[in-house]
Amino acid sequence: MAGGIGVYICDCGTNIAGVVDCAALAREAATWPGVAVAREYRYMCSDPGQGLIKSDIEELGLDRVVVAACSPRMHEPTFRACLAEADLNPYLLEVCNIREQCSWVHAETGSATQKALSLLRAAVRKVRLNRELSARSFPVTRAVLVLGAGIAGIHAALSIAASGKKVYLVERGPSIGGRMAQLDKTFPTLDCSACILTPKMVDVARSPNIELLTCTELEELSGFNGNFTARVRTRSRRVDIDSCTGCGDCVEACVMKGRVPDEFDAGLSRRGAVYMPFPQAVPLAAAVDPQSCLYVTKGKCKSPCLEACGPEAIDLDMPDEVRELEVGAVVVATGFDVFGAAGMPQFGYGRYPEVMDALQFERMLSASGPTGGRLLLPDGTEPSTIAFLHCVGSRDENANEYCSRVCCMYSMKQAHLAREKTGAKVYEFYIDITAFGKGYQEFYRRVRDEGVFFIRGKAADVARLGGSLKVFAEDTLLGRPVELPVDMVVLATGLIPASGSADLARKLGIALSPDGFFAEAHPKLRPAESHGDGIFLAGCCQGPKDIPDTVAQAGAAAVEAVALLDRGTVQVDAGVGGIVEDLCRGCGICVECCPYGAVELTADGVACVNEALCKGCGLCAAACLGGAVVMEAYDDGQILACIEGLLE
Amino acid sequence: MAEEKTAITELTGEFFDSLVAGSEVGEKVRSCLQCGTCTASCPVARYTELSPREIVRLVLIGGEEELLRPEVVYYCSACYSCAVRCPMGVRLTELVNLLRDIMVDRGMGPLEAQVELVRSVENYDNPWQQPRAQRDRWARKVPGKVKVLPKQKSDTLYYPGCTAAYLPNMQKVALATAQVLARAGVDFGIMGREEICCGSTAMRVGMRETFEAQASRNIEKLSSLGVRRIITACAGCYGIMKHNYPEVAPFDVEVLHVSEVLAGLVSEGALELQPIERTVTYHDPCHLARHGGVVDAPRAVLEAIPGLNLVEMSRVGLNARCCGGGGGLRTGHTEQAVAIASERQAEASESGAQALVTCCPFCEMNLTDALNQSGGLPVIDLVELVLESMGETDPAAVEAPGDTAVDPGPGSA
Ligand SMILES: Cc1cc2nc3c(=O)[nH]c(=O)nc-3n(C[C@H](O)[C@H](O)[C@H](O)COP(=O)(O)OP(=O)(O)OC[C@H]3O[C@@H](n4cnc5c(N)ncnc54)[C@H](O)[C@@H]3O)c2cc1C
């Protein structure tokens, strides 16, 4: 058997063959020196496609393979595995991208085929020089870091813990629970949010495998897939969680009591500087808000809280604590923030006290909320007409282009609950009703049947005129202006990325999508993974979604993390940089330019690559003045061969 | 029995593709969701046969014949409320202006009353059919001397615009502005009889050629005079010069509304203002706020007047309701324009103010007509108030020297 190169051209259905003349590519490639066989096939990634390669390797004794198909991001691993199955070293493969970089961006067959030919020539020239390489493997730390403890983080943490792994659940607020803890009832089934969430929160507190760190944020993540080190800072809570009984005596004693807007009640009530996050908080312990505590800000306060606290749990001088956690995987579950309605002044938010955002309304509906579940106007009476304004801050170029996906549903839920509580007349001003989940259309219909008025038109503005608050819109179905006097206006404010998301993305080395939420690795097939190996995504941090989708994604992220831990080892791709020590002058340029912190100077003053961290990007090789860095899968000779192929 | 409805049997993008798609205005029209924000924001919508939303719909599906009718395209007051709020970024005001351009190209527009104004611009360089020689008459009433370029030198030009220069009831704005600037120590000159109309009137009604000719001549004049900075007290001139001149020819002159200049002086502490004990509210002119982006400066000036109490109306700033005076509406459909101003006057009255301050001659005229017709607040220009606060008498009280009374009529662009 003679050896030689096998070249395989994928039609990708019509994705490639619709533009590029694939048969011509195969005919041409078959004539090139060293090419033993060149074939065109409909779907190379399919089983029979891979079978072709395997049988050619066995029967023709191929020793190099080129697949011209989609991006190597997509199927390089597939074809490498295929080579390995046929006992050929997987690095003797070259994937030539003629889809994303050719057929998808060109329309004219003649020139697109010429370009594909050039790319293919480059790949064939390079593959001749490919070496046998082997991936390295490292053990995986059997613990997971979960960032954010809303329903997504809670669910992921519980699932991972249930598989026997250690979880560090890191929450920046003083309690776990996230937004769901603030909700009254949940669509479409109207079960009470606290009733279904609280047991899970308690489970977190009880689980021996979960270590809960509240008031805590990530400072730095180092290491790599399977072997991360996370440095986290726990801000001083100034209350010892273990000895605090949650009795609330300090809260009563605080001199700032009733003077600080309460974030849990979305600003509708006021708390003191020391406060209980909310009645079902986990951990059930008070916390001191350093921004409003007089002892912290001014250095002087009689601090009656200290005296009031029986178990002496308060320590106003408690320092921050910094810890390093060793974990194999990270689940990001940092959720969302509510769009700031003040950004759209036409709706009167912040100007008219009868105008509130959806989260505030949710707090008013809640029995544990500031009004004990009664809907009240500023004058203490119940509203007899309420308008819900959809798409505030969503589907709008002036704010966010995306749909927030839950506002239609929560507005209809709130409409139902408002009618139930007050019998008020309710108007929904909408553009389109987004009700696509299981049971959602049924809920939409139910709310219509109950007598909620739907007005198909986006509200343009809200103003107090002629003594009453009015909503201005067009009934686009009738083509008539609408000027409805109402007692109360609820803005269906959209969901935006949680504050600090961009900063967190930078620390984690993962990407954001254009909407500012964390980007998933593949929009359909890898929705719970980030672009960073070993870092998974759950819940609204990846995009607006409802609780069912959040929990589903959290479960998926947990499984991915557990699967990684259970694998026990991680394979790190070959193709890293190597240092020719004789040529290295120890200047350190490579250390500075490496985005992964993979290069260090040794005690002997020469560079050294940490193969586990190296991603093979080649920046160091390009920067090195002495030619001391050699990329094992992309050395200078291989790159020159590619260029020759392109220029031929 | 109702008239039988004609079925839609064809949807065509031809009209859109051939006349709209290629222009900048066409950019996002196809994104329209028909949400009705434009119509609900439109001060004129209730008087029109087709709402802004329906206009967009017809533009997209080929309703050319239904669209290109005067009773459809000549109702817009160019207030930009629709455009500012449109969630899809459709530039509706400019789209309607484009339809007006097309009407004019096809000899179907503008309205007769509007043609008169534009012909006057073409013939006399002002829409008020006044001789060129009288353009600088107002300046004679300014105590002290006003520099006239190019005889005297200054790199700053005060450009009163046709309305403040000619209309006897509006000349007080020019007078007050010149006095306020002089007393504040701003070095400036005027163009005297050489000044010509900014072209806004023509642009707004779709007579693009006339507008471009006017703009080019102005740009040339200004550069030959070496002007680096234009101050205007007219929101209309301001928006047009700032945003539309650079589209016609290279235009490297800083355009400032007088409120911006005054706000700057206020923040430097360079204005000495006496108390005025009065409660006022401020009406944002569309062409200053939404078209020009100037919202804070006039308020900063008002707040700097000791004793003056500024109370806001319900709808302010970029969300202020239009007075109905712009876009050729006052000329073409006076009754509706004044009715819209009456709505705004009602809002002003509700604010609890004693007077309504604005800084646009068109707004002032329209809102004053509304006051006379159905009540409201007396209207005063920002510069007049500042002059008063500088301890000066009301410039309008000074008798116009030898002016043959010009009746401005309801016409304005
Ligand atoms: C008004 C309203 C009503 C709703 N009603 C319903 C409903 O009826 N039914 C339904 O299915 N859905 C509803 N939703 C949607 C629901 O709230 C979300 O699906 C759910 O809360 C998402 O959970 P999450 O864990 O992803 O995010 P979150 O609930 O936002 O939790 C994220 C957690 O991460 C923490 N965090 C943020 N950043 C960091 C960081 N850097 N480090 C550490 N911790 C961090 C936060 O403090 C928070 O505790 C509603 C939403 C709103 C706004």
Side-chain angles (χ1 to χ4, degrees), chain A residues 174-192:
Chain A
S175 169
I176 64 171
R179 299 290 174 196
M180 190 177 166
Q182 292 174 280
L183 307 182
D184 179 36
K185 295 193 171 143
T186 52
F187 62 76
T189 44
L190 298 180
D191 28 12
C192 143

PDB file of all heavy atoms in Angstrom, chain A residues 174-192:
ATOM      1  N   PRO A 174     -27.333  39.419  49.687  1.00  0.00           N
ATOM      2  CA  PRO A 174     -27.279  38.820  51.020  1.00  0.00           C
ATOM      3  C   PRO A 174     -28.115  37.544  51.149  1.00  0.00           C
ATOM      4  O   PRO A 174     -27.981  36.837  52.138  1.00  0.00           O
ATOM      5  CB  PRO A 174     -27.838  39.920  51.925  1.00  0.00           C
ATOM      6  CG  PRO A 174     -28.698  40.759  51.044  1.00  0.00           C
ATOM      7  CD  PRO A 174     -28.099  40.682  49.676  1.00  0.00           C
ATOM      8  N   SER A 175     -28.980  37.275  50.147  1.00  0.00           N
ATOM      9  CA  SER A 175     -29.779  36.042  50.210  1.00  0.00           C
ATOM     10  C   SER A 175     -29.829  35.411  48.831  1.00  0.00           C
ATOM     11  O   SER A 175     -29.649  36.087  47.817  1.00  0.00           O
ATOM     12  CB  SER A 175     -31.213  36.340  50.647  1.00  0.00           C
ATOM     13  OG  SER A 175     -32.033  35.193  50.449  1.00  0.00           O
ATOM     14  N   ILE A 176     -30.107  34.127  48.795  1.00  0.00           N
ATOM     15  CA  ILE A 176     -30.358  33.479  47.519  1.00  0.00           C
ATOM     16  C   ILE A 176     -31.834  33.679  47.153  1.00  0.00           C
ATOM     17  O   ILE A 176     -32.618  34.160  47.963  1.00  0.00           O
ATOM     18  CB  ILE A 176     -29.989  31.977  47.563  1.00  0.00           C
ATOM     19  CG1 ILE A 176     -30.876  31.222  48.550  1.00  0.00           C
ATOM     20  CG2 ILE A 176     -28.534  31.814  47.948  1.00  0.00           C
ATOM     21  CD1 ILE A 176     -30.692  29.702  48.477  1.00  0.00           C
ATOM     22  N   GLY A 177     -32.200  33.327  45.942  1.00  0.00           N
ATOM     23  CA  GLY A 177     -33.608  33.438  45.533  1.00  0.00           C
ATOM     24  C   GLY A 177     -33.799  34.208  44.242  1.00  0.00           C
ATOM     25  O   GLY A 177     -34.671  33.903  43.447  1.00  0.00           O
ATOM     26  N   GLY A 178     -32.970  35.245  44.049  1.00  0.00           N
ATOM     27  CA  GLY A 178     -33.052  36.017  42.805  1.00  0.00           C
ATOM     28  C   GLY A 178     -34.412  36.665  42.616  1.00  0.00           C
ATOM     29  O   GLY A 178     -35.160  36.899  43.572  1.00  0.00           O
ATOM     30  N   ARG A 179     -34.737  36.959  41.366  1.00  0.00           N
ATOM     31  CA  ARG A 179     -35.989  37.665  41.047  1.00  0.00           C
ATOM     32  C   ARG A 179     -37.214  36.844  41.402  1.00  0.00           C
ATOM     33  O   ARG A 179     -38.267  37.378  41.728  1.00  0.00           O
ATOM     34  CB  ARG A 179     -36.051  38.008  39.562  1.00  0.00           C
ATOM     35  CG  ARG A 179     -34.959  38.906  39.079  1.00  0.00           C
ATOM     36  CD  ARG A 179     -35.126  40.294  39.615  1.00  0.00           C
ATOM     37  NE  ARG A 179     -33.988  41.121  39.258  1.00  0.00           N
ATOM     38  CZ  ARG A 179     -33.709  42.281  39.828  1.00  0.00           C
ATOM     39  NH1 ARG A 179     -34.475  42.743  40.801  1.00  0.00           N
ATOM     40  NH2 ARG A 179     -32.671  42.981  39.443  1.00  0.00           N
ATOM     41  N   MET A 180     -37.104  35.547  41.272  1.00  0.00           N
ATOM     42  CA  MET A 180     -38.285  34.710  41.491  1.00  0.00           C
ATOM     43  C   MET A 180     -38.820  34.903  42.908  1.00  0.00           C
ATOM     44  O   MET A 180     -40.024  34.805  43.150  1.00  0.00           O
ATOM     45  CB  MET A 180     -37.937  33.243  41.219  1.00  0.00           C
ATOM     46  CG  MET A 180     -39.164  32.352  41.182  1.00  0.00           C
ATOM     47  SD  MET A 180     -38.744  30.650  40.783  1.00  0.00           S
ATOM     48  CE  MET A 180     -40.293  29.859  41.236  1.00  0.00           C
ATOM     49  N   ALA A 181     -37.909  35.201  43.849  1.00  0.00           N
ATOM     50  CA  ALA A 181     -38.334  35.417  45.226  1.00  0.00           C
ATOM     51  C   ALA A 181     -39.200  36.669  45.349  1.00  0.00           C
ATOM     52  O   ALA A 181     -39.967  36.815  46.297  1.00  0.00           O
ATOM     53  CB  ALA A 181     -37.112  35.527  46.128  1.00  0.00           C
ATOM     54  N   GLN A 182     -39.084  37.575  44.370  1.00  0.00           N
ATOM     55  CA  GLN A 182     -39.856  38.816  44.430  1.00  0.00           C
ATOM     56  C   GLN A 182     -41.240  38.670  43.801  1.00  0.00           C
ATOM     57  O   GLN A 182     -42.077  39.552  43.948  1.00  0.00           O
ATOM     58  CB  GLN A 182     -39.101  39.938  43.699  1.00  0.00           C
ATOM     59  CG  GLN A 182     -37.820  40.374  44.392  1.00  0.00           C
ATOM     60  CD  GLN A 182     -37.048  41.370  43.543  1.00  0.00           C
ATOM     61  OE1 GLN A 182     -36.356  40.987  42.608  1.00  0.00           O
ATOM     62  NE2 GLN A 182     -37.168  42.650  43.856  1.00  0.00           N
ATOM     63  N   LEU A 183     -41.453  37.583  43.073  1.00  0.00           N
ATOM     64  CA  LEU A 183     -42.698  37.448  42.315  1.00  0.00           C
ATOM     65  C   LEU A 183     -43.843  36.993  43.210  1.00  0.00           C
ATOM     66  O   LEU A 183     -43.632  36.324  44.217  1.00  0.00           O
ATOM     67  CB  LEU A 183     -42.528  36.457  41.162  1.00  0.00           C
ATOM     68  CG  LEU A 183     -41.355  36.709  40.205  1.00  0.00           C
ATOM     69  CD1 LEU A 183     -41.354  35.668  39.099  1.00  0.00           C
ATOM     70  CD2 LEU A 183     -41.417  38.120  39.619  1.00  0.00           C
ATOM     71  N   ASP A 184     -45.060  37.349  42.786  1.00  0.00           N
ATOM     72  CA  ASP A 184     -46.236  36.902  43.526  1.00  0.00           C
ATOM     73  C   ASP A 184     -46.635  35.515  43.036  1.00  0.00           C
ATOM     74  O   ASP A 184     -46.203  34.513  43.564  1.00  0.00           O
ATOM     75  CB  ASP A 184     -47.367  37.917  43.351  1.00  0.00           C
ATOM     76  CG  ASP A 184     -48.627  37.478  44.074  1.00  0.00           C
ATOM     77  OD1 ASP A 184     -48.490  36.892  45.158  1.00  0.00           O
ATOM     78  OD2 ASP A 184     -49.737  37.724  43.557  1.00  0.00           O
ATOM     79  N   LYS A 185     -47.457  35.460  41.991  1.00  0.00           N
ATOM     80  CA  LYS A 185     -47.801  34.158  41.425  1.00  0.00           C
ATOM     81  C   LYS A 185     -47.152  34.039  40.062  1.00  0.00           C
ATOM     82  O   LYS A 185     -46.797  35.049  39.468  1.00  0.00           O
ATOM     83  CB  LYS A 185     -49.311  34.039  41.314  1.00  0.00           C
ATOM     84  CG  LYS A 185     -49.934  34.037  42.704  1.00  0.00           C
ATOM     85  CD  LYS A 185     -51.357  33.629  42.704  1.00  0.00           C
ATOM     86  CE  LYS A 185     -51.816  33.448  44.132  1.00  0.00           C
ATOM     87  NZ  LYS A 185     -53.195  33.896  44.315  1.00  0.00           N
ATOM     88  N   THR A 186     -47.016  32.819  39.568  1.00  0.00           N
ATOM     89  CA  THR A 186     -46.284  32.657  38.322  1.00  0.00           C
ATOM     90  C   THR A 186     -47.182  32.115  37.214  1.00  0.00           C
ATOM     91  O   THR A 186     -48.001  31.221  37.443  1.00  0.00           O
ATOM     92  CB  THR A 186     -45.101  31.690  38.517  1.00  0.00           C
ATOM     93  OG1 THR A 186     -45.579  30.480  39.122  1.00  0.00           O
ATOM     94  CG2 THR A 186     -44.045  32.302  39.408  1.00  0.00           C
ATOM     95  N   PHE A 187     -47.022  32.717  36.022  1.00  0.00           N
ATOM     96  CA  PHE A 187     -47.782  32.244  34.868  1.00  0.00           C
ATOM     97  C   PHE A 187     -47.233  30.890  34.445  1.00  0.00           C
ATOM     98  O   PHE A 187     -46.072  30.609  34.722  1.00  0.00           O
ATOM     99  CB  PHE A 187     -47.708  33.262  33.718  1.00  0.00           C
ATOM    100  CG  PHE A 187     -46.318  33.515  33.169  1.00  0.00           C
ATOM    101  CD1 PHE A 187     -45.667  32.600  32.334  1.00  0.00           C
ATOM    102  CD2 PHE A 187     -45.642  34.700  33.488  1.00  0.00           C
ATOM    103  CE1 PHE A 187     -44.390  32.853  31.825  1.00  0.00           C
ATOM    104  CE2 PHE A 187     -44.367  34.955  32.984  1.00  0.00           C
ATOM    105  CZ  PHE A 187     -43.744  34.033  32.160  1.00  0.00           C
ATOM    106  N   PRO A 188     -47.929  30.096  33.706  1.00  0.00           N
ATOM    107  CA  PRO A 188     -49.349  30.256  33.371  1.00  0.00           C
ATOM    108  C   PRO A 188     -50.245  29.554  34.389  1.00  0.00           C
ATOM    109  O   PRO A 188     -51.458  29.634  34.293  1.00  0.00           O
ATOM    110  CB  PRO A 188     -49.433  29.551  32.006  1.00  0.00           C
ATOM    111  CG  PRO A 188     -48.447  28.428  32.116  1.00  0.00           C
ATOM    112  CD  PRO A 188     -47.355  28.911  33.033  1.00  0.00           C
ATOM    113  N   THR A 189     -49.637  28.877  35.350  1.00  0.00           N
ATOM    114  CA  THR A 189     -50.435  28.053  36.257  1.00  0.00           C
ATOM    115  C   THR A 189     -50.844  28.800  37.506  1.00  0.00           C
ATOM    116  O   THR A 189     -51.648  28.303  38.290  1.00  0.00           O
ATOM    117  CB  THR A 189     -49.622  26.815  36.650  1.00  0.00           C
ATOM    118  OG1 THR A 189     -48.286  27.263  36.949  1.00  0.00           O
ATOM    119  CG2 THR A 189     -49.563  25.816  35.538  1.00  0.00           C
ATOM    120  N   LEU A 190     -50.257  29.981  37.706  1.00  0.00           N
ATOM    121  CA  LEU A 190     -50.582  30.827  38.850  1.00  0.00           C
ATOM    122  C   LEU A 190     -50.228  30.194  40.183  1.00  0.00           C
ATOM    123  O   LEU A 190     -50.886  30.447  41.182  1.00  0.00           O
ATOM    124  CB  LEU A 190     -52.057  31.236  38.818  1.00  0.00           C
ATOM    125  CG  LEU A 190     -52.454  32.066  37.591  1.00  0.00           C
ATOM    126  CD1 LEU A 190     -53.927  32.415  37.647  1.00  0.00           C
ATOM    127  CD2 LEU A 190     -51.626  33.339  37.507  1.00  0.00           C
ATOM    128  N   ASP A 191     -49.206  29.333  40.193  1.00  0.00           N
ATOM    129  CA  ASP A 191     -48.798  28.873  41.513  1.00  0.00           C
ATOM    130  C   ASP A 191     -47.937  29.934  42.171  1.00  0.00           C
ATOM    131  O   ASP A 191     -47.249  30.707  41.527  1.00  0.00           O
ATOM    132  CB  ASP A 191     -48.103  27.503  41.512  1.00  0.00           C
ATOM    133  CG  ASP A 191     -47.397  27.203  40.214  1.00  0.00           C
ATOM    134  OD1 ASP A 191     -47.244  28.136  39.405  1.00  0.00           O
ATOM    135  OD2 ASP A 191     -46.978  26.054  40.019  1.00  0.00           O
ATOM    136  N   CYS A 192     -48.018  29.948  43.477  1.00  0.00           N
ATOM    137  CA  CYS A 192     -47.355  30.981  44.255  1.00  0.00           C
ATOM    138  C   CYS A 192     -45.852  30.784  44.161  1.00  0.00           C
ATOM    139  O   CYS A 192     -45.329  29.696  44.376  1.00  0.00           O
ATOM    140  CB  CYS A 192     -47.890  30.907  45.672  1.00  0.00           C
ATOM    141  SG  CYS A 192     -46.713  31.230  46.939  1.00  0.00           S
TER     142      CYS A 192
END
